[in-house]
Amino acid sequence: METNVTDSENCHHHIPEYKDQRVDRYAVYTKTDVYDHIYYIIDRFINLQNLTVGNHAYEKIEGEYTPLTLCQEFFRKGSISPGNDTFDIDPHVDKECISIYPLEPLEDRTLSRDINFSLDFKRLLSVNIYLTLKAINLQTVRHHELPDCYAFSIIIMFDNRAHSGRIKINLENNVGINECKDWNVASTSGKNNHLLLFDSLVILACFTSLILCTRSVYKGSQLQFHYTAFFHTYFGKTVSWSERMEFVNGWYILIIVSDTLTIAGSALKIGIQTKDLTNYDVCSILLGTSTMLVWVGVIRYLGFFKKYNILILALRAAFPNVIRFSCCAGLIYLGYCFCGWIVLGPYHEKFRTLDKVTECLFSLINGDDLYSTFQKMREKRYIVWLFSRLYLYSFLSLFIYMVLSLFIALITDTYETIKQHQKDRVLVSQLKAFVAECRDQPDSGKYKIDKEPTCCCCFGYTL
Amino acid sequence: METNVTDSENCHHHIPEYKDQRVDRYAVYTKTDVYDHIYYIIDRFINLQNLTVGNHAYEKIEGEYTPLTLCQEFFRKGSISPGNDTFDIDPHVDKECISIYPLEPLEDRTLSRDINFSLDFKRLLSVNIYLTLKAINLQTVRHHELPDCYAFSIIIMFDNRAHSGRIKINLENNVGINECKDWNVASTSGKNNHLLLFDSLVILACFTSLILCTRSVYKGSQLQFHYTAFFHTYFGKTVSWSERMEFVNGWYILIIVSDTLTIAGSALKIGIQTKDLTNYDVCSILLGTSTMLVWVGVIRYLGFFKKYNILILALRAAFPNVIRFSCCAGLIYLGYCFCGWIVLGPYHEKFRTLDKVTECLFSLINGDDLYSTFQKMREKRYIVWLFSRLYLYSFLSLFIYMVLSLFIALITDTYETIKQHQKDRVLVSQLKAFVAECRDQPDSGKYKIDKEPTCCCCFGYTL
Amino acid sequence: METNVTDSENCHHHIPEYKDQRVDRYAVYTKTDVYDHIYYIIDRFINLQNLTVGNHAYEKIEGEYTPLTLCQEFFRKGSISPGNDTFDIDPHVDKECISIYPLEPLEDRTLSRDINFSLDFKRLLSVNIYLTLKAINLQTVRHHELPDCYAFSIIIMFDNRAHSGRIKINLENNVGINECKDWNVASTSGKNNHLLLFDSLVILACFTSLILCTRSVYKGSQLQFHYTAFFHTYFGKTVSWSERMEFVNGWYILIIVSDTLTIAGSALKIGIQTKDLTNYDVCSILLGTSTMLVWVGVIRYLGFFKKYNILILALRAAFPNVIRFSCCAGLIYLGYCFCGWIVLGPYHEKFRTLDKVTECLFSLINGDDLYSTFQKMREKRYIVWLFSRLYLYSFLSLFIYMVLSLFIALITDTYETIKQHQKDRVLVSQLKAFVAECRDQPDSGKYKIDKEPTCCCCFGYTL
Amino acid sequence: METNVTDSENCHHHIPEYKDQRVDRYAVYTKTDVYDHIYYIIDRFINLQNLTVGNHAYEKIEGEYTPLTLCQEFFRKGSISPGNDTFDIDPHVDKECISIYPLEPLEDRTLSRDINFSLDFKRLLSVNIYLTLKAINLQTVRHHELPDCYAFSIIIMFDNRAHSGRIKINLENNVGINECKDWNVASTSGKNNHLLLFDSLVILACFTSLILCTRSVYKGSQLQFHYTAFFHTYFGKTVSWSERMEFVNGWYILIIVSDTLTIAGSALKIGIQTKDLTNYDVCSILLGTSTMLVWVGVIRYLGFFKKYNILILALRAAFPNVIRFSCCAGLIYLGYCFCGWIVLGPYHEKFRTLDKVTECLFSLINGDDLYSTFQKMREKRYIVWLFSRLYLYSFLSLFIYMVLSLFIALITDTYETIKQHQKDRVLVSQLKAFVAECRDQPDSGKYKIDKEPTCCCCFGYTL
């Protein structure tokens, strides 16, 4: 995963022009500030080769450098005089672009101030600066992997759409990862092949496990059909769904899912290592999830000791109730989310979008900094202030005191039920009653499906 | 709601003069600093048109610009010599104001330093600077809505009332939103009309639902009167309040409230969109609350599946106990609030006002940063330090360990009671016993109110 | 309490010399920095009258200004050459002081750089600067109260005792509040007298309540003696302590304590308002605590409704168990505190002193920012890093999962016991059994202490 | 422990060169910045004696100063042109070093800019600056202890291995503590000897306690063998492990461990005070842990009052279940840790290493700032954003609502079991039944091991 980390670091740190300023939520307020910022960016771009400590370079397509492009958008016509509440505007948006070409390192530097452009702030909607940089990630050379070639497409946006006296500045950085075209590394060892071999072995092992588990699940479902048919024929009873499900071993399903993910992830990893693919994210999600499932799967073996499986039993037993309960609680939660979004959205950063509200409220239930959330709504109009108080107090009281307590009550109740069950060892289902009639031991190995009415031990076999 | 967000952003960001400084809790300590700040503000005001990137302008009333007004308040007489503990003061407050007019953009700039005024800091109580700006919110033009015209009344206060060597600076900004007087937009589409149509449809649908629910509630209460009268006549018993309440369907009440709020909110929204009204806050609170109620109302339909309504049942059953319990806990809580306010108010930011104390303590119970609260009281006099420790430890131990645990005990107890009830299906009230006598099925459709003594099924009908 | 707030604000903000720098944990590292800081302080002191926006002045004792005193402490002899691990030192500490007198405002300013003093950093232990300022708090004039005169004794300490290359700078500020000697305010209203009148009324009311409650408690204890004697004589049984305590009404004790505190606090408040006393802290603690007790006392009246007093009953019943349990948990907690202090003290700010450790651990249990606490110990030596992990994980697991859960179990258990009791209404004590023999109603008003053996209703009277 | 604190302070604050900059995660982006930083460090080193306020000096080995060494590492050959995606590299790393000698204080300062070295950033891998300083910790002189002599080996690393345009700067500081070679302190009192005496006494006391407890445990185990043999002979039954364990008093084990730690710690402390040893950390961990155990041991005496030992009983009873339960929960937890590390590692600071993930997730369960954790993953690619949401919501819901509630259920259940036991006082084990046959009181002092079959009281003796 080393390359993966590098990749992400590159994305965030390769931009030498803009490092010293906090880009996020950065904003300027005066005309000279806007011009200064634009000139600063252009200067940095032109002098890139003299400044950067990394191996950045301009993009060169067919012998020609890709220029820095500066585009401004503005209303076609606009005479605005707020002094006497009048305006005359044509909302069609015009766009004007100029290109600035980088110079060869040996040429004389021309000052960016020579570039002629002017902004009419009354009509200005936005200024966008587009630039492209290339870089090579040499870090992997040390690990005897081939380096990747990066192309960064950077967009710096000056957003004046609000005309509120504040121009927000944003930086967007998209990275493209390619195989380098022409390379020469003095000595490459075969370490990479070892990795490929290891990955192939992993895939093989997982494939074997996958096939075995699928076979078991298949056999289980076949047995279930036999059992259903048998019961229907001899006793005339239908078999309930919950009993049918007992023939399917949940752990096998888990292993199948985990194996599938591992195989897919390892295949992707081989593709990445041979420089054919670059989607690191999908690969890491597949392998990460499969790792998690493998760890969870270990619980199965703990469950063989009887006292250890209380967690799994309790979780499984509580699951339907918890889901049902969460549905209802979720509806109230959603109600609060929408309400907070609509009313408090304009006044508080954390309520700006619906998914932010969801996260904020979830965080508040779990003990996030509440006072600061309260405080940020302090200086609003009285009615909003009052609403925010009612909203937060009622939400938190309801969820922390009522819903959380009910959760505990639910789980405690389930736990006691399970403990009682473990003590009583009652035969709950038809199936278990049926199996209990067996006189043969399940491990006797007999599978006398031919003389069904007399022996039924076979059915206990796959459980 | 787009306009709403814009509005609030405008309020907070339209002030170009003061942006680069953290206004909240900003303070100065030396005489030159005070003068510098005042001159800076005046300079920024005079040069507004050259500086701002937004469309701000001076207010013009009857052809004349509204000036920036600088007022100082001071004691009429004051000779104070702390060196030998003597003073001679006349607490009458005098006020002196000067006006500074903005210049036409084409005139020469006069430096603000030319303005002659001096402050006698020994007697000075406060310096207030009043200024008025106008702006037009063009952001809505993109959404084919008409822009609003804003008038910002800004007050910057230098507060020296404490004479403590520290002058606090505050900025107050009041915004007035008007319809623009004279406007011309090149092309306005009819998108606005679609919105109005949609709002009208919403109002219509809610009105229908409101009428139907009101009718149901009315019928229910009529039936209740019949039932009470019947019981009084035939059995000579009075019917308890709790039984009477069973005739009123709480869900209908919820729908009625929700519908009323939606209708009011939508009506307001139409008013806002046609530029007749500007109270965004009330509108968003009405619509937000109704949205929340609608989501909560969905739980009703989940309740039709028997196992799903445990949350609602538990909450409803626990409600009276929780309220009673909260009353008592609230009294102790209030006691702590008042005590903290009185004793720790002068020493800790979070205990400055009563509502801050309430929020702070509520936050502390729910897991706010406790250590920093402790630390801020570290450097006080010993007796206050000791008191703050006793106060915080006792409060948190009492509420986190005792009250919260009791809450869980309360809810767990209610949950178990409900589960027991669900198992036992006991007939609790007279009403249910009466209904249970029915031999007709509730869905038989018979409504034989004429032969009451023999059949009572009708009463089960509306439940 | 207005004066109180003012007082505290004065303490913290009256020092104009040092405002722009974060004084707490401030430190310097180079020789020139040390000199610069000292000269800066002296300059600020000399030019005080030209700089401050408050009414500060130099202290004048018998016509002469109190000077700024600069004292340095150093080892008598010290030749240290770390290069070859040798030193020759005389640990006797010498002290040298110079005084710098403030100048009259009209005199020429002399630059502080003219003052001649030099520091031998190899031997230097500390530099202390002492200065005294006076000020008058005019803020109260607006509230028609007389202003206080303040004397600030400020000590600025440069601490080089560690000789570690880092000189810590500390500021200590002691404030003395006196009545001003000679004052003249143009118009003082009699508003102050109204306040005094109100305070006197409060004292009177509390005194009446105090006497009545004391009488009740006295009567109750008398009755208890009668009862004990009666039981001893007629039945030959001794009465247990818990039964004896039932004759003492806890609420009366609460009211007595609350009244005593209010009377003491109000008396202090009168003293403060008449400018005889200045201990605001004690006054506010007394009044604050009494306010809290009054609010808690209101619960008594809620207790008259039977269902409301579950909180108080549960708290009272759980109290002994909670105390016992807290003792044991407290011992483990103390063990962790001491251990953390000893081992982690040198490595983490929050473990520097024992009371800081106590607060930090208490905060961690209640949900404080744990990750940052973990992180601050990241870059230590491996063995300390490992220990800190073991320490924090074990502490938090033990207290959050085990102790907190046990608390909930304890309270839940108590709650259920109480609910059972309320249902059963069992006669627990001898006393209640005895009272239950009564045939007279408690409200019959009969108090037949003369014919004891036949009637015992009298004893139920005070309960 | 005073010396200990000093030591650690020294480690962190003795480096005067680098104080004004936040070293952790410090980084530079332009070529001139790199040169400036290097020159700054060299200048500071050369002028050390004129700058430092502490007693730092250059190291002198055999009359010669240890120089500052500046080493750069670079690829042997490297022509990289990212513009057209080509590179030609030789991954062999070359290293070049230059030495800069400090000057005698009286010599003329030469500017560091005279030093000639240049960096080829395209090939540069890292620049490391090594320097050695010596210092004497005089702080202990005041406590009449002998000062230590310190040698600081400082490494400043400029890390360009990523070639990402960002050079990370790190500072590593290793401290060696030696006894000073040649010293002379004017007057040393014998206070140190008192400390040594005290430590020796502590060791003696602990040794006595250790021997007594070991003897008890030995006797207990002997008795257990007798008992086992007796049971085997007379009843033919084997004795279970849990019963055998009842002969071993856990408290004695605790005291033995605590005593051993105290003895080892005190011995180390004597070594440190006599300047023979310098491993403060091990000493403080030993003494700290023993202090904690002593405090925990006090609970034993509380346990003599019957009602007090509910905590210990509940903890002991719940322990096996909690461990079993934690195993299962731990597996799921580990699964989440690995998954988070693999997938989110490159995108979030808190998921960078496995132990960071463990701490972060543990902190989140216990109420850490969740919203900020959510927010930091906001600006990533969509698939990672989605995964992080699923990951965090599922993890927190599972652990806060399910696992924590199950913990409470577990503990509550154990608590109730214990309470029931305390009421019933049942004789659970064979052992207790056997002891109960005794007719002699355990405190009768009879130890008739000779006539076993008739009397068995002896066995109740050591319990």
Side-chain angles (χ1 to χ4, degrees), chain B residues 228 231-239 430:
Chain B
T228 316
F231 244 70
H232 193 72
T233 319
Y234 287 85
F235 300 100
K237 288 182 197 164
T238 53
V239 179
Q430 273 186 328

Side-chain angles (χ1 to χ4, degrees), chain C residues 33-56:
Chain C
D33 275 359
V34 175
Y35 283 113
D36 285 352
H37 274 80
I38 292 172
Y39 287 133
Y40 177 78
I41 293 163
I42 294 171
D43 268 341
R44 282 250 152 171
F45 178 72
I46 290 176
N47 291 301
L48 177 68
Q49 304 282 15
N50 293 345
L51 291 167
T52 182
V53 295
N55 45 23
H56 297 88

